[in-house]
């Protein structure tokens, strides 16, 4: 009964798997109970100690097990794959440099990333970064941004998105409404930005507006507080941001997903399961819950809270139905990519497309 009940809220969840290249019993049970709209893979979900053909065979089993456990006809298989240290995959998947280093070849990189990710069964990439690198003291964005002005970010982000999606991988722009001018890493604490709405409109919001106008179908909401716009709630919990600015002002009709609620920025804000209700009420559609920073089993409590609020009238059924319709619409258009071996000459060609990265990659950033 629990499985059937909470699965009816599954569209509103994206689950980050536990650190294993094999689907463990915890994740198998959670995927079966919740039937989330998607999962997100991290570095530890791949075998980095095997040659390509061997790790790809292991990965194919993982993808098959995820799909079987979830039991959905369509789902998101997601990843953060931006370039630089934000690369979860083993070689020979191309390790492009940070986005700032290949902004002039954005279409070529988007096409290469799309083809390679699709060959891993992935159909959703949390890229491009639509932040503008305006603060040299920013510890988390920096060269992950495509440029230092709105125009330069737009000029690279739009062709990157079009090219990657042409290879059957959905783009998710991040981190709305802009994480480029902060001095705190939101993995560790809650950044507070003094910019008011007019300043945001003049700079940070421009790449998001351009991407929305070009048809971007998913946006990730940053864990940040803008007291001058909404002093009471960070972006993912703010109806002022997620509905008033993103949807009503910018005209976004796609899926809004939170950043991982286990991040340090959300410390204390998601202790109550009803926080998931607040998130849905804000206009955000999906809660991201990842194993690296929290116990993903908490998603069951979040799902039960959403359904309880719906049942006792605290959550508007029309609002929830619209949110679910947005997710279902995108799922209906999401490709189901099969895991397949790519020829070595493909990787050789991709390596010549733009600058590469040869330092260590990371599990989470």
């Amino acid at each position: 009964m629990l499985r059937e009940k909470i699965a009816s809220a599954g569209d509103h969840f994206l689950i980050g798997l536990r650190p294993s290249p094999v689907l463990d019993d915890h994740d198998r049970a959670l995927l079966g109970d919740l039937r989330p709209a998607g999962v997100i893979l991290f570095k530890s979900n791949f075998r980095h100690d095997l040659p390509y053909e061997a790790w790809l065979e292991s990965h194919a089993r993982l993808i098959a097990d995820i799909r079987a456990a979830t039991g959905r006809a369509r789902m998101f298989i997601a990843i953060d794959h931006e370039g630089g240290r934000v690369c979860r995959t083993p070689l020979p998947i191309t390790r492009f440099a940070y986005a700032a280093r290949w902004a002039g070849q954005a279409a070529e990189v988007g096409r290469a990333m799309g083809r390679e990710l699709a060959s891993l069964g992935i159909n959703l990439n949390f890229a491009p970064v639509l932040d503008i690198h305006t603060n040299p003291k920013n510890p988390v964005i920096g060269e992950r941004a495509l440029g230092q002005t709105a125009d330069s970010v737009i000029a690279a982000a739009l062709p990157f998105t079009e090219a990657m999606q042409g290879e059957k991988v959905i783009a998710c722009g991040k981190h709305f409404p802009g994480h480029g001018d902060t001095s705190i890493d939101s993995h560790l604490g809650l950044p507070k930005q003094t910019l008011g709405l007019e300043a945001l409109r003049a700079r940070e919001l421009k790449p998001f507006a351009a991407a929305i106008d070009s048809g971007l179908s998913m946006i990730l909401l940053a864990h940040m507080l803008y007291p001058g716009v909404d002093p009471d709630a960070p972006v993912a919990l703010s109806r002022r941001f997620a509905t008033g600015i993103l949807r009503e002002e910018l005209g976004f009709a796609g899926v809004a997903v939170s950043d991982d609620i286990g991040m340090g920025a959300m410390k204390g804000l998601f202790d109550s399961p009803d926080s998931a209700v607040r998130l849905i009420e804000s206009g955000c559609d999906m809660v991201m819950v990842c194993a690296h920073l929290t116990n993903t089993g908490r998603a069951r409590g979040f799902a039960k809270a959403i359904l309880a609020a719906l049942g006792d009238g605290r959550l508007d059924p029309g609002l929830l139905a619209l949110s679910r319709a947005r997710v279902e619409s995108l799922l209906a258009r999401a490709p189901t990519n099969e895991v397949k071996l790519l020829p070595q000459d493909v990787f050789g060609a991709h390596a010549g497309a733009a600058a590469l990265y040869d330092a260590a990659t990371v599990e989470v950033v």
Side-chain angles (χ1 to χ4, degrees), residues 239-320:
R239 187 163 179 82
R240 179 76 180 97
F241 271 106
T243 295
I245 298 172
L246 180 61
R247 298 201 184 279
E248 294 174 356
E249 181 174 330
L250 299 184
F252 182 61
V255 173
V257 58
S258 78
D259 212 338
D260 179 12
I261 59 89
M263 291 165 61
M266 293 292 98
K267 185 176 181 180
L269 293 173
F270 272 85
D271 290 350
S272 167
D274 279 335
S275 300
V277 179
R278 284 186 62 201
L279 184 141
I280 297 295
E281 287 177 327
S282 78
C284 187
D285 300 303
M286 298 181 70
V287 189
M288 186 189 298
V289 189
C290 298
H292 185 78
L293 296 172
T294 194
N295 176 9
T296 51
R298 296 172 64 199
R300 291 186 178 90
F302 293 143
K304 286 190 283 187
I306 291 170
L307 295 173
L310 183 66
D312 64 22
R314 288 180 292 121
L315 179 59
D316 180 358
L319 184 149
L320 188 65

Side-chain angles (χ1 to χ4, degrees), residues 57 97 111 129 141 171 184 195 221 245 252 262 297:
E57 183 178 344
R111 191 171 298 111
V129 171
I141 301 299
I184 294 176
L195 294 178
L221 306 185
I245 298 172
F252 182 61

Side-chain angles (χ1 to χ4, degrees), residues 207-223:
F208 292 95
I212 290 167
D213 288 345
S214 294
L216 185 70
S217 54
M218 181 180 277
I219 287 179
L220 180 140
L221 306 185
H223 290 327

